[in-house]
């Protein structure tokens, strides 16, 4: 009987294991998960903290017991510490028994995920300083808030997760300050669009410390302030949301090739440079369909897709995942933001000639109650008119409209291809000239 | 100075006039509107009746005075009664003075719209029997309701407008019965999807009379019942929402070619068979991009697009409108429905070999408050996998997702092209496997 070992039990790992087993019922599938939980919706953690989701277990899609019923053996708190590609075996540390053992594999899928970047700074270990990647992280934050009722919260990092946390901390009574090293929020957005989100958050009472560099954290046992190059910022709770790094150390040690930002280099089939060893999800690279380059954009949706492909191929199939166009979305204190494709900055960096247009529209016919402002920015290639990117900011029902732009980019559509688009119209869903069409008509 | 006459002052007519004037400031642009109002959002009328829009004037985008400021002369209550293509003149009836006069044109755009179909049946003129196409229609309905407070309302016709009216009549205290000749609601949908909407409406208390043929209306001065082949149905208010027919009589009389369902036959440039005479909007045909055939699908969004093209070409430009894919959307008592492309029935009629798949998903991650059920049906061509159609039914934020399918169809995308789509994911916006991707993965 052939044996597949999967390292990691969250999005990519569980998708891979489940798909491989569905493909080949005879395949022995063994999953080793370093943490306490498997198969959980990590993107839902901010909403558990904020109380939108009362029970953290609702984030868990499947337990090891449920996987067992599908014929998949999952061991939690089992950390794979070494891979031996030549001998086709892995070394596993049973964290409870503090014992290591070896296990042979025929196929291996590395879905070891990513870890929050925690800068080595004074005070970073103080009580009340958190990162947010796992269920225990979220439970710790929520317990701390329930115990100490912090009024001043500092979020370090103005990316998607940091901004998603704003409404959740506000809901729990926190005054939020965002410390961001860049001169703008949301560096995946252009400054003009990020400025709209900034303005809105300021209206809800968020304080901005943009272009501000964290230098350390101050406190005795508990955090008291975030130290920055502009002075201290009072903080009873600090969330470090600076970014993540791929968990690729054991892969690198085994001679598996790493790519951009030390992510495990994979191809469209999720194969690494070593035959029989696959990688998927937040530990791995992904092809960007506009630039044609491999990049590192860890996303739960991508992890699921790559995991499925890795699982199918590891079980003897032959399938591929072409890549992403860089779509991202967030609800930000009741407003919405989404982006896809390349930003203006990315166009410049990659040497694309481009034209950018931006319009303000409404999410419903102007006479409809509930119509709110929506800003749509489109970026098209100079000459060809091929859509390179899009960004949307606005009220409810704004952001998911980005999907049309994501498909337009992936299908290589031009402005001319799209101006006649037969988008759905009825007053509760938009004006008779859909905001996307208005933006397209600017070119 | 060259002179353009535009017949009709609503969506297509005003778009045409405004575009032509922007293209050529020297062009004399004269609009004749048969009704009292121009440039109004006809699709918003149900929501005015229901009280979502307090003032009917909010539906009016531009008044004749505002058009005057743009250099466009608009005469309301002026009905064009004849077109003489050889002499290049039209005959106009000034309805207030009851006088006719003639006016010469260099270019003519016919945007005469459509009229509600009112079957010639006994009792059709009774008080309390309405159609809904124009602002005066809506005002009459609302006034009648305010005066008589009808409790029993019958909507004859289970199409988009009929179903949009349900929530608006319910809001005003009416018990609603829908009489529909076909055995299902929403004949633009397949029976399975229409059944979901039917079930939901029944849950809100709507009574269904499907497969039931109206034979007349009974009453003295005011309506008392709708007579059907299954017996009388009590009615204090009747809305006839059976469909519309193009206002093409004067065009036909002038030798302008009509096409399907007596709509004015136009090409991609919105040209009729007579040089210098264009048509646009609800009076005209439109190309269906999947069947490749000209069809009649009157829609406000299409009218605006065609009007713009007709106006640009009449002013000396050279542009075109390729066509539609049959996208439609409606909010139905808090639920949503949308469709695009071909239904199963249309596939059969057109001889397409097809595969249909349907899934149930959620509009947000299942652990998110506000997640509601969404049903997605996709239809792909046998062999090629080209997407031919899609239908969506579900709770809030469901239906506008149809736009992705509309673009997929227009761009000729196949299931294989789409399964990797980088759709936006964050828990408030959908599950990690977007419902569209789940549907695509069924093929």
């Amino acid at each position: 009987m052939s044996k597949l070992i999967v390292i990691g039990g969250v999005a990519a790992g569980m998708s891979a294991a489940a798909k491989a087993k569905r493909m080949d019922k005879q395949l022995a599938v063994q999953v080793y998960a370093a943490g306490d939980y498997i198969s959980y919706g990590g993107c839902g953690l901010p909403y558990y903290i904020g109380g939108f989701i009362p029970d953290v277990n609702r984030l868990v899609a499947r337990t090891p017991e449920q996987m067992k019923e599908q014929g998949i053996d999952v061991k939690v708190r089992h950390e794979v510490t070494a891979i031996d590609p030549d001998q086709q075996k892995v070394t596993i540390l049973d964290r409870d028994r503090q014992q290591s053992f070896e296990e042979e594999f025929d196929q291996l899928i590395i879905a070891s995920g990513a870890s929050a970047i925690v800068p080595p700074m004074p005070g970073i270990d103080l009580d009340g300083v958190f990162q947010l990647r796992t269920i225990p992280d979220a439970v710790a934050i929520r317990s701390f808030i329930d115990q100490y009722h912090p009024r001043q919260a500092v979020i370090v990092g103005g990316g998607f997760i940091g901004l998603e946390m704003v409404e959740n901390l506000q809901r729990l009574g926190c005054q939020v300050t965002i410390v961001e090293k860049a001169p703008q929020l949301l560096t995946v957005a252009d400054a003009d669009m990020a400025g709209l989100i900034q303005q809105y958050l300021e209206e809800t009472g968020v304080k901005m410390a943009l272009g501000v560099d964290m230098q350390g954290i101050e406190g005795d046992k508990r955090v008291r302030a975030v130290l920055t190059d502009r002075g201290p910022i009072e903080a009873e709770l600090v969330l470090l949301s600076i970014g993540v790094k791929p968990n690729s150390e054991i892969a690198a040690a085994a001679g598996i090739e790493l790519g951009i930002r030390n992510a495990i280099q994979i191809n469209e089939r999720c194969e690494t440079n070593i035959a029989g060893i696959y990688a998927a999800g937040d530990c791995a690279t992904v092809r960007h369909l506009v630039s044609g380059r491999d990049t590192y954009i860890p996303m739960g949706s991508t992890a699921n897709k790559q995991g499925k492909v890795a699982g199918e191929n590891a079980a003897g199939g032959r399938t591929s995942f072409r890549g992403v166009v860089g779509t991202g979305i967030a609800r930000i204190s009741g407003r919405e933001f989404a982006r896809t494709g390349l930003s203006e900055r990315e166009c410049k960096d990659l040497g694309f000639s481009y034209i950018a247009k931006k319009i303000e529209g409404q999410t419903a016919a102007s006479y409809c109650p509930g119509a709110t402002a929506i800003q749509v920015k489109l970026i098209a290639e100079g000459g060809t008119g091929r859509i390179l990117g899009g960004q949307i900011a606005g009220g409810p029902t704004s952001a998911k409209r980005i999907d049309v732009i994501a498909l337009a980019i992936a299908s290589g559509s031009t402005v001319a291809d799209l101006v006649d688009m037969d988008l759905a119209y009825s007053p509760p869903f938009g004006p008779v000239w859909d905001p996307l069409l208005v933006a397209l008509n600017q070119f």
Side-chain angles (χ1 to χ4, degrees), chain A:
Chain A
M1 192 165 74
S2 190
K3 183 169 181 184
L4 168 66
I5 288 182
V6 178
I7 303 174
V10 194
M14 290 323 300
S15 294
K19 182 67 184 182
K21 192 69 187 181
R22 282 200 303 276
M23 286 285 293
D24 179 1
K25 296 280 180 224
Q26 302 305 312
L27 187 68
V29 180
Q30 175 73 58
V31 178
Y32 293 110
D36 300 86
Y37 294 85
I38 62 161
S39 189
Y40 60 89
C43 303
L45 294 172
Y47 305 98
Y48 159 70
I49 294 170
F52 290 100
I53 303 160
D55 178 358
V56 80
N57 288 305
R58 291 209 54 201
L59 296 177
V60 178
R62 283 184 211 87
T63 61
E65 292 69 35
Q66 289 168 316
M67 297 310 295
K68 191 94 192 170
E69 289 166 19
Q70 295 179 36
I72 296 167
D73 189 48
V74 179
K75 297 242 182 306
V76 297
R77 302 183 57 77
H78 278 65
E79 185 181 349
V80 173
T81 54
I83 301 166
D84 184 338
D86 295 330
Q87 303 290 320
Q88 293 197 294
K89 61 185 185 187
V90 292
T91 306
I92 304 120
L93 170 66
D94 176 338
R95 289 170 53 192
D96 291 327
R97 298 185 186 168
Q98 282 297 311
Q99 286 180 344
S100 281
F101 60 96
E102 292 184 344
E103 189 83 25
E104 292 187 354
F105 61 83
D106 297 293
Q107 314 281 337
L108 178 69
I109 297 174
I110 307 171
S112 47
S115 298
I117 294 172
V118 179
M121 284 182 181
I124 213 85
D125 293 326
L126 285 168
D127 283 358
V129 180
F130 298 98
Q131 47 182 287
L132 178 57
R133 279 293 295 174
T134 65
I135 287 183
D137 290 342
V139 169
I141 294 172
R142 183 60 203 246
S143 300
F144 182 88
I145 293 172
D146 289 344
Q147 186 174 357
Y148 297 110
H149 303 287
R151 308 303 294 180
Q152 301 294 333
V154 172
I155 296 171
V156 183
F160 279 133
I161 294 169
L163 298 192
E164 284 176 335
M165 276 300 295
V166 171
E167 70 176 317
N168 291 292
L169 291 174
Q170 286 175 329
R171 225 169 118 92
L172 299 172
C174 294
Q175 156 71 48
V176 176
T177 302
I178 297 172
V179 175
E180 168 61 54
K181 195 172 181 176
Q184 67 171 70
L185 298 176
L186 281 172
T187 52
V188 296
D190 287 319
D192 53 349
M193 298 299 286
L196 297 168
I197 299 296
Q198 178 187 339
Q199 186 185 342
Y200 170 65
L201 284 175
E202 284 172 342
E203 285 165 16
T204 74
V206 176
K207 293 184 196 160
M208 296 290 163
L210 303 180
V212 172
D213 206 12
M214 175 174 70
Q215 296 181 326
I217 296 178
E218 192 179 66
D220 295 322
K221 192 168 178 319
R222 261 158 59 201
V223 60
R224 200 165 52 231
V226 172
L227 305 176
T228 79
D229 55 354
R230 307 271 186 88
I233 299 170
E234 188 189 346
E236 296 163 85
L237 180 151
V238 175
L239 177 68
L240 300 173
S241 181
I242 298 168
V244 299
K245 59 183 180 202
N247 295 329
S248 58
E249 296 84 354
I250 61 159
I256 295 168
E257 187 187 340
L258 303 188
I260 186 166
R261 292 184 55 193
N262 286 330
I264 299 172
Q265 178 68 50
I266 58 172
N267 63 16
E268 286 195 341
R269 299 191 65 217
C270 295
E271 296 167 329
T272 68
N273 63 316
I274 297 179
I277 301 184
Y278 302 81
D282 291 359
C283 66
T285 60
V286 66
R287 181 68 50 87
H288 196 295
L289 295 173
V290 183
S291 69
R293 299 185 186 184
D294 289 317
T295 181
Y296 182 62
I297 309 178
M299 288 289 228
S301 46
T302 306
N304 273 274
K305 290 171 190 158
Q306 288 183 331
K308 187 161 165 268
V309 165
E312 183 162 342
N313 289 335
R318 185 164 181 88
T319 186
S320 60
F321 173 64
R322 274 173 304 226
V324 299
V325 293
T327 310
I329 193 168
R331 188 176 78 187
I332 300 170
S333 287
R335 296 286 172 101
E336 300 181 359
F337 175 79
R339 58 95 66 216
T340 190
L342 304 179
S343 64
E344 285 197 67
R345 185 186 301 112
E346 288 170 322
C347 285
K348 284 176 195 154
D349 289 348
L350 291 162
F352 279 99
S353 132
Y354 71 90
I355 302 164
K357 299 284 182 183
K358 191 172 62 175
I359 61 103
E360 177 165 326
Q362 297 242 291
T363 57
S366 56
Y367 50 75
C368 269
T372 66
I374 174 175
Q375 309 255 356
V376 178
K377 179 173 185 171
L378 289 179
I379 300 171
E381 191 173 36
T384 67
R386 180 168 65 113
I387 304 294
L388 296 175
Q391 294 165 50
I392 296 176
T397 78
S398 292
K400 193 72 171 134
R401 296 164 195 251
I402 202 78
D403 286 347
V404 178
I405 308 174
L407 174 56
I409 294 170
S411 63
S413 299
T414 65
V415 170
D417 292 332
L418 301 173
V419 285
D420 287 349
M421 263 194 300
D422 192 12
L423 301 180
Y425 165 62
S426 169
F429 300 94
V432 69
W433 283 104
D434 191 280
L436 294 184
L437 294 177
V438 176
L440 286 161
N441 275 303
Q442 306 305 306
F443 287 91

